[in-house]
Coordinates of all heavy atoms in Angstrom, one line a residue:
F42 N -7.0 -16.5 -1.8 CA -6.9 -15.7 -0.5 C -8.2 -14.8 -0.4 O -8.8 -14.6 -1.4 CB -5.7 -14.9 -0.5 CG -5.4 -14.0 -1.7 CD1 -6.0 -12.8 -1.8 CD2 -4.6 -14.5 -2.7 CE1 -5.7 -12.0 -2.9 CE2 -4.3 -13.7 -3.8 CZ -4.9 -12.4 -3.9
R43 N -8.4 -14.4 0.8 CA -9.5 -13.6 1.1 C -9.1 -12.0 0.8 O -8.0 -11.7 1.2 CB -10.0 -13.7 2.6 CG -10.6 -15.0 2.9 CD -11.0 -15.2 4.3 NE -11.6 -16.5 4.6 CZ -12.1 -16.8 5.8 NH1 -11.8 -16.0 6.8 NH2 -12.7 -17.9 5.9
A44 N -10.1 -11.3 0.4 CA -9.8 -9.9 0.1 C -11.0 -9.1 0.2 O -12.1 -9.7 0.5 CB -9.2 -9.7 -1.3
Q45 N -11.0 -7.8 -0.1 CA -12.2 -6.9 -0.2 C -12.2 -6.4 -1.5 O -11.2 -6.2 -2.2 CB -12.1 -5.8 0.9 CG -12.0 -6.2 2.3 CD -13.3 -6.9 2.8 OE1 -14.4 -6.5 2.4 NE2 -13.2 -7.8 3.7
S46 N -13.4 -6.1 -2.0 CA -13.6 -5.6 -3.4 C -12.9 -4.3 -3.6 O -12.6 -3.9 -4.7 CB -15.1 -5.5 -3.7 OG -15.7 -4.6 -2.8
T47 N -12.6 -3.6 -2.5 CA -11.8 -2.3 -2.7 C -10.3 -2.4 -2.7 O -9.6 -1.5 -2.8 CB -12.3 -1.4 -1.5 OG1 -12.1 -2.1 -0.3 CG2 -13.7 -0.9 -1.6
D48 N -9.8 -3.6 -2.5 CA -8.4 -3.8 -2.4 C -7.7 -3.8 -3.7 O -8.3 -4.0 -4.8 CB -8.1 -5.3 -1.8 CG -8.3 -5.4 -0.3 OD1 -8.3 -4.3 0.4 OD2 -8.6 -6.5 0.1
K49 N -6.4 -3.3 -3.7 CA -5.5 -3.5 -4.8 C -4.8 -4.8 -4.6 O -4.4 -5.2 -3.5 CB -4.5 -2.4 -4.7 CG -5.0 -1.0 -5.1 CD -3.8 0.1 -5.2 CE -4.4 1.4 -5.5 NZ -4.9 1.6 -6.8
L50 N -4.5 -5.5 -5.7 CA -3.8 -6.8 -5.7 C -2.5 -6.6 -6.4 O -2.3 -5.8 -7.4 CB -4.6 -7.9 -6.4 CG -6.0 -8.1 -5.9 CD1 -6.6 -9.2 -6.7 CD2 -6.1 -8.4 -4.4
V51 N -1.4 -7.2 -5.9 CA -0.1 -7.1 -6.4 C 0.3 -8.4 -7.0 O 0.3 -9.5 -6.3 CB 0.9 -6.6 -5.4 CG1 2.4 -6.6 -6.0 CG2 0.5 -5.3 -4.9
L52 N 0.8 -8.4 -8.2 CA 1.3 -9.7 -8.9 C 2.8 -9.5 -9.2 O 3.2 -8.5 -9.7 CB 0.5 -9.9 -10.2 CG 0.9 -11.2 -10.9 CD1 -0.4 -11.7 -11.6 CD2 2.0 -11.0 -11.9
F53 N 3.6 -10.6 -8.8 CA 5.1 -10.5 -9.0 C 5.4 -11.6 -10.0 O 4.9 -12.7 -9.9 CB 5.8 -10.8 -7.7 CG 7.3 -10.7 -7.8 CD1 7.9 -9.5 -8.4 CD2 8.1 -11.7 -7.3 CE1 9.3 -9.5 -8.5 CE2 9.5 -11.6 -7.4 CZ 10.2 -10.5 -8.0
A54 N 6.2 -11.2 -11.1 CA 6.4 -12.2 -12.2 C 8.0 -12.5 -12.2 O 8.8 -11.8 -11.6 CB 6.1 -11.6 -13.4
S55 N 8.3 -13.5 -12.9 CA 9.6 -14.0 -13.0 C 10.7 -13.0 -13.6 O 11.9 -13.3 -13.5 CB 9.7 -15.4 -13.6 OG 9.2 -15.4 -14.9
N56 N 10.1 -12.2 -14.4 CA 10.9 -11.2 -15.0 C 11.3 -10.0 -14.1 O 12.0 -9.0 -14.5 CB 10.3 -10.6 -16.3 CG 9.0 -9.9 -16.1 OD1 8.6 -9.8 -14.9 ND2 8.3 -9.5 -17.1
G57 N 10.9 -10.1 -12.8 CA 11.2 -9.1 -11.8 C 10.3 -7.9 -11.8 O 10.5 -7.0 -11.0
K58 N 9.2 -8.0 -12.5 CA 8.2 -6.9 -12.6 C 7.1 -7.2 -11.6 O 6.7 -8.3 -11.4 CB 7.7 -6.7 -14.0 CG 8.6 -6.0 -14.9 CD 7.9 -5.7 -16.2 CE 8.7 -4.9 -17.3 NZ 7.9 -4.6 -18.5
F59 N 6.6 -6.0 -11.1 CA 5.3 -6.1 -10.3 C 4.2 -5.4 -11.1 O 4.5 -4.5 -11.8 CB 5.5 -5.3 -8.9 CG 6.3 -6.0 -7.9 CD1 7.7 -6.0 -7.8 CD2 5.5 -6.7 -6.9 CE1 8.3 -6.6 -6.8 CE2 6.2 -7.4 -5.9 CZ 7.6 -7.4 -5.9
F60 N 3.0 -6.0 -11.0 CA 1.8 -5.5 -11.6 C 0.7 -5.3 -10.6 O 0.7 -6.0 -9.5 CB 1.3 -6.5 -12.7 CG 2.3 -6.7 -13.8 CD1 3.4 -7.8 -13.6 CD2 2.3 -6.1 -14.9 CE1 4.2 -8.0 -14.6 CE2 3.2 -6.4 -15.9 CZ 4.2 -7.4 -15.8
T61 N -0.2 -4.4 -10.8 CA -1.2 -4.0 -9.9 C -2.6 -4.3 -10.5 O -2.8 -3.8 -11.7 CB -1.1 -2.5 -9.4 OG1 0.2 -2.4 -8.9 CG2 -2.1 -2.3 -8.4
L62 N -3.4 -4.9 -9.8 CA -4.8 -5.2 -10.3 C -5.8 -4.6 -9.2 O -5.5 -4.6 -8.1 CB -5.1 -6.7 -10.4 CG -4.1 -7.5 -11.4 CD1 -4.3 -9.0 -11.1 CD2 -4.5 -7.1 -12.8
E63 N -7.0 -4.3 -9.7 CA -8.1 -3.9 -8.8 C -9.0 -5.0 -8.5 O -9.5 -5.7 -9.5 CB -8.9 -2.7 -9.4 CG -8.0 -1.5 -9.7 CD -7.6 -0.8 -8.4 OE1 -8.2 -1.0 -7.3 OE2 -6.7 0.1 -8.5
A64 N -9.2 -5.4 -7.3 CA -10.1 -6.5 -7.0 C -11.5 -6.3 -7.7 O -12.0 -7.3 -8.1 CB -10.1 -6.8 -5.5
S65 N -11.9 -5.1 -7.7 CA -13.2 -4.8 -8.2 C -13.3 -5.1 -9.7 O -14.4 -5.2 -10.2 CB -13.6 -3.3 -7.9 OG -12.7 -2.5 -8.5
A66 N -12.2 -5.2 -10.4 CA -12.2 -5.4 -11.9 C -12.1 -6.8 -12.2 O -12.2 -7.1 -13.4 CB -11.1 -4.6 -12.4
L67 N -11.9 -7.7 -11.3 CA -11.8 -9.2 -11.6 C -13.1 -9.7 -12.0 O -14.3 -9.3 -11.5 CB -11.3 -9.9 -10.4 CG -9.9 -9.5 -9.8 CD1 -9.6 -10.4 -8.7 CD2 -8.9 -9.6 -11.0
P68 N -13.1 -10.7 -12.9 CA -14.4 -11.4 -13.3 C -14.9 -12.1 -12.2 O -14.2 -12.5 -11.3 CB -13.9 -12.3 -14.4 CG -12.5 -12.5 -14.2 CD -11.9 -11.2 -13.6
G69 N -16.2 -12.3 -12.2 CA -17.0 -13.1 -11.1 C -16.7 -14.6 -11.1 O -15.9 -15.0 -11.9
G70 N -17.4 -15.2 -10.1 CA -17.0 -16.6 -9.9 C -17.7 -17.6 -10.8 O -17.3 -18.8 -10.8
R71 N -18.5 -17.1 -11.7 CA -19.1 -18.0 -12.7 C -18.1 -18.4 -13.7 O -17.4 -17.5 -14.2 CB -20.4 -17.4 -13.3 CG -21.5 -17.2 -12.4 CD -22.8 -16.7 -13.1 NE -23.9 -16.6 -12.2 CZ -25.2 -16.2 -12.6 NH1 -25.3 -15.9 -13.9 NH2 -26.1 -16.2 -11.7
G72 N -18.0 -19.6 -14.2 CA -17.1 -20.0 -15.1 C -15.7 -20.2 -14.5 O -15.5 -20.3 -13.3
H73 N -14.7 -20.0 -15.4 CA -13.3 -20.2 -14.9 C -12.6 -18.9 -14.8 O -11.3 -18.9 -14.6 CB -12.5 -21.1 -15.9 CG -13.2 -22.4 -16.1 ND1 -13.8 -22.8 -17.3 CD2 -13.2 -23.5 -15.2 CE1 -14.3 -24.1 -17.1 NE2 -13.9 -24.5 -15.9
G74 N -13.2 -17.7 -14.9 CA -12.6 -16.5 -14.9 C -12.0 -16.1 -16.2 O -12.5 -16.5 -17.3
E75 N -10.9 -15.2 -16.2 CA -10.2 -14.8 -17.4 C -8.7 -14.9 -17.2 O -8.2 -14.9 -16.1 CB -10.6 -13.3 -17.7 CG -12.1 -13.1 -18.0 CD -12.4 -11.7 -18.3 OE1 -11.4 -10.8 -18.2 OE2 -13.6 -11.4 -18.4
P76 N -7.9 -15.1 -18.2 CA -6.5 -15.0 -18.1 C -6.0 -13.7 -17.7 O -6.4 -12.7 -18.2 CB -6.0 -15.3 -19.6 CG -7.2 -15.9 -20.3 CD -8.4 -15.3 -19.7
V77 N -5.3 -13.8 -16.6 CA -4.7 -12.5 -16.0 C -3.9 -11.7 -17.0 O -3.7 -10.5 -16.9 CB -4.0 -12.8 -14.7 CG1 -2.6 -13.4 -14.9 CG2 -3.8 -11.6 -13.8
R78 N -3.3 -12.5 -18.0 CA -2.4 -11.7 -19.0 C -3.3 -10.9 -19.9 O -2.6 -10.0 -20.6 CB -1.7 -12.8 -19.8 CG -0.7 -13.6 -19.0 CD 0.0 -14.7 -19.8 NE 0.7 -15.6 -19.0 CZ 2.0 -15.6 -18.8 NH1 2.7 -14.6 -19.3 NH2 2.6 -16.4 -18.0
L79 N -4.6 -10.9 -19.8 CA -5.4 -10.0 -20.6 C -5.5 -8.7 -19.9 O -5.9 -7.7 -20.5 CB -6.8 -10.6 -20.9 CG -6.9 -11.8 -21.7 CD1 -8.3 -12.2 -21.9 CD2 -6.3 -11.6 -23.1
M80 N -5.1 -8.7 -18.6 CA -5.3 -7.4 -17.8 C -4.0 -6.7 -17.6 O -4.0 -5.6 -17.2 CB -5.9 -7.9 -16.4 CG -7.2 -8.7 -16.5 SD -7.7 -9.3 -14.9 CE -9.0 -10.4 -15.4
I81 N -2.9 -7.5 -17.8 CA -1.6 -6.8 -17.7 C -0.7 -7.2 -18.9 O -1.0 -8.2 -19.6 CB -0.8 -7.3 -16.4 CG1 -0.8 -8.8 -16.3 CG2 -1.6 -6.7 -15.2 CD1 0.0 -9.4 -15.1
D82 N 0.4 -6.5 -19.1 CA 1.3 -6.8 -20.2 C 2.5 -7.7 -19.7 O 3.6 -7.3 -19.6 CB 1.9 -5.5 -20.9 CG 0.8 -4.7 -21.5 OD1 -0.3 -5.2 -21.9 OD2 0.9 -3.5 -21.7
L83 N 2.1 -9.0 -19.5 CA 3.1 -9.9 -19.1 C 3.4 -10.9 -20.2 O 2.4 -11.6 -20.7 CB 2.6 -10.7 -17.8 CG 3.5 -11.8 -17.4 CD1 4.8 -11.3 -16.9 CD2 2.8 -12.5 -16.1
E84 N 4.6 -11.0 -20.7 CA 5.0 -11.8 -21.9 C 4.8 -13.3 -21.5 O 4.9 -13.7 -20.3 CB 6.3 -11.5 -22.4 CG 7.4 -11.7 -21.3 CD 7.8 -10.4 -20.6 OE1 6.9 -9.6 -20.4 OE2 9.0 -10.4 -20.2
E85 N 4.6 -14.1 -22.5 CA 4.3 -15.5 -22.3 C 5.6 -16.2 -21.8 O 5.5 -17.2 -21.2 CB 4.0 -16.1 -23.6 CG 2.6 -15.9 -24.2 CD 1.5 -16.3 -23.2 OE1 1.6 -17.3 -22.6 OE2 0.4 -15.6 -23.1
S86 N 6.8 -15.6 -22.0 CA 8.0 -16.2 -21.4 C 8.2 -16.1 -20.0 O 9.1 -16.7 -19.4 CB 9.2 -15.7 -22.2 OG 9.3 -14.3 -22.0
S87 N 7.4 -15.2 -19.3 CA 7.5 -15.0 -17.9 C 6.4 -15.7 -17.2 O 5.3 -15.9 -17.6 CB 7.4 -13.5 -17.6 OG 8.5 -12.8 -18.2
D88 N 6.7 -16.2 -16.0 CA 5.8 -16.9 -15.1 C 5.3 -16.1 -14.0 O 6.0 -15.1 -13.7 CB 6.5 -18.1 -14.5 CG 7.0 -19.2 -15.5 OD1 6.2 -19.4 -16.5 OD2 8.1 -19.8 -15.3
I89 N 4.1 -16.4 -13.5 CA 3.6 -15.7 -12.2 C 4.3 -16.3 -11.0 O 4.2 -17.5 -10.9 CB 2.1 -15.8 -12.2 CG1 1.5 -15.2 -13.4 CG2 1.6 -15.2 -10.9 CD1 0.0 -15.5 -13.6
V90 N 4.9 -15.5 -10.2 CA 5.6 -15.9 -9.0 C 4.6 -15.8 -7.8 O 4.6 -16.8 -7.0 CB 6.9 -15.2 -8.7 CG1 7.5 -15.5 -7.4 CG2 7.9 -15.4 -9.9
E91 N 4.0 -14.7 -7.6 CA 3.1 -14.6 -6.4 C 2.0 -13.5 -6.8 O 2.2 -12.7 -7.6 CB 4.0 -14.0 -5.3 CG 3.4 -14.2 -3.9 CD 3.0 -15.5 -3.6 OE1 3.9 -16.4 -3.3 OE2 1.8 -15.9 -3.7
L92 N 0.9 -13.7 -6.0 CA -0.2 -12.7 -6.1 C -0.7 -12.5 -4.7 O -0.9 -13.5 -4.0 CB -1.3 -13.2 -7.0 CG -2.6 -12.4 -7.1 CD1 -2.3 -11.2 -7.9 CD2 -3.7 -13.2 -7.7
F93 N -0.9 -11.3 -4.3 CA -1.4 -11.1 -2.9 C -2.1 -9.7 -2.8 O -1.9 -8.8 -3.7 CB -0.2 -11.1 -1.9 CG 1.0 -10.2 -2.4 CD1 1.1 -9.0 -1.9 CD2 2.0 -10.8 -3.3 CE1 2.2 -8.2 -2.3 CE2 3.1 -9.9 -3.6 CZ 3.1 -8.7 -3.1
V94 N -2.7 -9.5 -1.7 CA -3.4 -8.1 -1.4 C -2.4 -7.1 -1.0 O -1.4 -7.4 -0.2 CB -4.4 -8.3 -0.2 CG1 -5.0 -7.0 0.1 CG2 -5.5 -9.3 -0.6
H95 N -2.4 -5.9 -1.6 CA -1.4 -4.9 -1.3 C -1.7 -4.4 0.2 O -2.8 -4.0 0.5 CB -1.6 -3.8 -2.2 CG -0.8 -2.6 -1.9 ND1 0.5 -2.5 -1.6 CD2 -1.2 -1.2 -1.8 CE1 0.9 -1.4 -1.4 NE2 -0.1 -0.5 -1.4
R96 N -0.6 -4.4 0.9 CA -0.6 -3.8 2.3 C 0.4 -2.6 2.5 O 1.5 -2.8 2.5 CB -0.2 -4.9 3.4 CG -1.0 -6.2 3.3 CD -2.5 -5.9 3.6 NE -3.2 -7.2 3.7 CZ -4.5 -7.3 3.6 NH1 -5.3 -6.2 3.4 NH2 -5.1 -8.5 3.7
P97 N -0.2 -1.4 2.3 CA 0.7 -0.2 2.4 C 1.6 -0.3 3.7 O 1.2 -0.6 4.8 CB -0.3 1.0 2.5 CG -1.5 0.4 1.8 CD -1.6 -1.1 2.3
G98 N 2.9 0.1 3.5 CA 3.8 0.2 4.5 C 4.5 -1.0 4.8 O 5.5 -1.1 5.6
R99 N 4.1 -2.2 4.3 CA 4.8 -3.5 4.5 C 6.1 -3.5 3.8 O 6.3 -3.0 2.8 CB 3.8 -4.6 4.1 CG 4.4 -6.0 4.4 CD 3.3 -7.1 4.3 NE 2.7 -7.1 3.0 CZ 1.8 -8.0 2.7 NH1 1.4 -8.9 3.5 NH2 1.2 -8.0 1.5
K100 N 7.0 -4.5 4.3 CA 8.3 -4.6 3.5 C 8.2 -6.1 2.9 O 7.6 -7.0 3.5 CB 9.5 -4.6 4.5 CG 9.6 -3.3 5.3 CD 10.0 -2.2 4.5 CE 10.3 -1.0 5.3 NZ 10.7 0.2 4.5
L101 N 8.8 -6.2 1.7 CA 8.8 -7.5 1.1 C 10.3 -7.9 0.9 O 11.2 -7.1 0.7 CB 8.2 -7.3 -0.3 CG 6.7 -6.9 -0.3 CD1 6.3 -6.6 -1.8 CD2 5.8 -7.9 0.3
L102 N 10.5 -9.2 0.8 CA 11.9 -9.7 0.4 C 11.7 -10.5 -0.9 O 10.8 -11.4 -1.1 CB 12.4 -10.7 1.4 CG 13.7 -11.5 1.1 CD1 14.8 -10.5 0.9 CD2 14.1 -12.5 2.1
V103 N 12.4 -10.1 -2.0 CA 12.4 -10.6 -3.3 C 13.7 -11.4 -3.5 O 14.7 -11.0 -3.0 CB 12.1 -9.7 -4.4 CG1 10.7 -9.1 -4.2 CG2 13.1 -8.5 -4.4
A104 N 13.6 -12.5 -4.1 CA 14.8 -13.4 -4.4 C 14.7 -13.9 -5.9 O 13.7 -14.2 -6.4 CB 14.9 -14.4 -3.4
S105 N 16.0 -14.2 -6.4 CA 16.1 -14.7 -7.7 C 16.7 -16.2 -7.7 O 17.3 -16.6 -6.7 CB 17.0 -13.9 -8.6 OG 18.3 -14.0 -8.3
K106 N 16.6 -16.9 -8.8 CA 17.1 -18.3 -8.8 C 18.6 -18.4 -8.6 O 19.1 -19.3 -8.0 CB 16.7 -18.8 -10.2 CG 17.2 -20.3 -10.3 CD 16.7 -20.9 -11.7 CE 17.1 -22.3 -11.8 NZ 16.7 -22.9 -13.2
E107 N 19.3 -17.3 -9.0 CA 20.8 -17.2 -8.8 C 21.2 -17.0 -7.4 O 22.4 -17.1 -7.0 CB 21.4 -16.2 -9.7 CG 21.5 -16.7 -11.2 CD 22.2 -15.7 -12.1 OE1 22.7 -14.7 -11.6 OE2 22.4 -16.0 -13.3
G108 N 20.2 -16.7 -6.5 CA 20.5 -16.6 -5.1 C 20.6 -15.1 -4.7 O 21.1 -14.9 -3.5
N109 N 20.3 -14.2 -5.5 CA 20.2 -12.8 -5.1 C 18.9 -12.3 -4.5 O 17.9 -12.8 -4.8 CB 20.6 -11.9 -6.3 CG 22.0 -12.2 -6.9 OD1 23.0 -12.4 -6.1 ND2 22.0 -12.3 -8.2
G110 N 19.0 -11.3 -3.6 CA 17.7 -10.8 -3.1 C 17.9 -9.5 -2.4 O 19.0 -9.1 -2.1
F111 N 16.8 -8.8 -2.1 CA 16.8 -7.6 -1.3 C 15.4 -7.3 -0.7 O 14.4 -8.0 -1.1 CB 17.2 -6.4 -2.2 CG 16.4 -6.1 -3.4 CD1 15.4 -5.2 -3.3 CD2 16.7 -6.7 -4.6 CE1 14.6 -4.9 -4.4 CE2 15.9 -6.4 -5.7 CZ 14.9 -5.5 -5.7
V112 N 15.4 -6.4 0.2 CA 14.2 -6.0 0.8 C 13.6 -4.7 0.1 O 14.5 -3.9 -0.3 CB 14.3 -5.7 2.3 CG1 13.1 -5.1 2.9 CG2 14.6 -6.9 3.1
V113 N 12.3 -4.6 -0.3 CA 11.8 -3.5 -0.9 C 10.5 -3.2 -0.2 O 9.7 -4.0 0.3 CB 11.5 -3.8 -2.3 CG1 10.6 -4.9 -2.6 CG2 11.0 -2.5 -3.0
S114 N 10.3 -1.8 -0.1 CA 9.0 -1.3 0.5 C 7.8 -1.7 -0.4 O 8.0 -1.4 -1.7 CB 9.0 0.2 0.8 OG 7.8 0.7 1.1
E115 N 6.8 -2.2 0.1 CA 5.7 -2.6 -0.7 C 5.0 -1.3 -1.4 O 4.4 -1.4 -2.5 CB 4.6 -3.3 0.1 CG 3.5 -4.0 -0.8 CD 2.7 -4.9 -0.1 OE1 3.2 -5.7 0.9 OE2 1.5 -5.2 -0.5
D116 N 5.2 -0.2 -0.9 CA 4.8 1.1 -1.4 C 5.5 1.4 -2.7 O 4.9 2.1 -3.6 CB 4.9 2.3 -0.5 CG 4.1 2.1 0.8 OD1 3.1 1.4 0.8 OD2 4.5 2.7 1.8
E117 N 6.7 0.8 -2.9 CA 7.5 1.1 -4.1 C 7.1 0.2 -5.3 O 7.4 0.6 -6.5 CB 9.0 0.8 -3.7 CG 9.6 1.8 -2.8 CD 9.9 3.2 -3.4 OE1 9.9 3.2 -4.7 OE2 10.4 4.0 -2.7
V118 N 6.4 -0.9 -5.0 CA 6.2 -1.8 -6.1 C 4.8 -1.6 -6.8 O 4.5 -2.3 -7.8 CB 6.2 -3.2 -5.5 CG1 7.5 -3.5 -4.8 CG2 5.0 -3.6 -4.7
V119 N 4.0 -0.7 -6.4 CA 2.7 -0.5 -7.0 C 2.9 0.1 -8.4 O 3.6 1.1 -8.5 CB 1.8 0.4 -6.1 CG1 0.5 0.7 -6.8 CG2 1.5 -0.2 -4.7
A120 N 2.3 -0.5 -9.4 CA 2.4 -0.1 -10.7 C 1.3 0.7 -11.2 O 0.1 0.4 -10.8 CB 2.6 -1.3 -11.6
Q121 N 1.5 1.7 -12.0 CA 0.4 2.7 -12.4 C -0.1 2.3 -13.8 O -1.2 2.8 -14.2 CB 1.0 4.1 -12.4 CG 1.5 4.5 -11.1 CD 0.4 4.5 -10.0 OE1 -0.7 4.7 -10.2 NE2 0.8 4.2 -8.7

Side-chain angles (χ1 to χ4, degrees):
F42 52 85
R43 294 177 174 181
Q45 299 293 328
S46 56
T47 50
D48 284 336
K49 291 183 182 296
L50 308 181
V51 177
L52 185 149
F53 184 49
S55 61
N56 60 3
K58 284 187 176 183
F59 281 87
F60 301 85
T61 304
L62 302 166
E63 299 290 341
S65 60
L67 299 183
R71 292 185 178 181
H73 300 111
E75 295 178 6
V77 72
R78 293 174 193 269
L79 295 180
M80 305 171 192
I81 56 176
D82 293 338
L83 177 63
E84 60 266 28
E85 290 296 328
S86 60
S87 295
D88 297 322
I89 298 169
V90 174
E91 198 57 76
L92 177 72
F93 52 93
V94 174
H95 172 53
R96 305 295 185 202
R99 185 167 57 177
K100 305 287 186 182
L101 303 172
L102 174 63
V103 292
S105 77
K106 185 176 180 180
E107 289 186 354
N109 299 317
F111 60 93
V112 173
V113 61
S114 169
E115 193 167 327
D116 296 336
E117 293 281 352
V118 309
V119 176
Q121 303 299 326

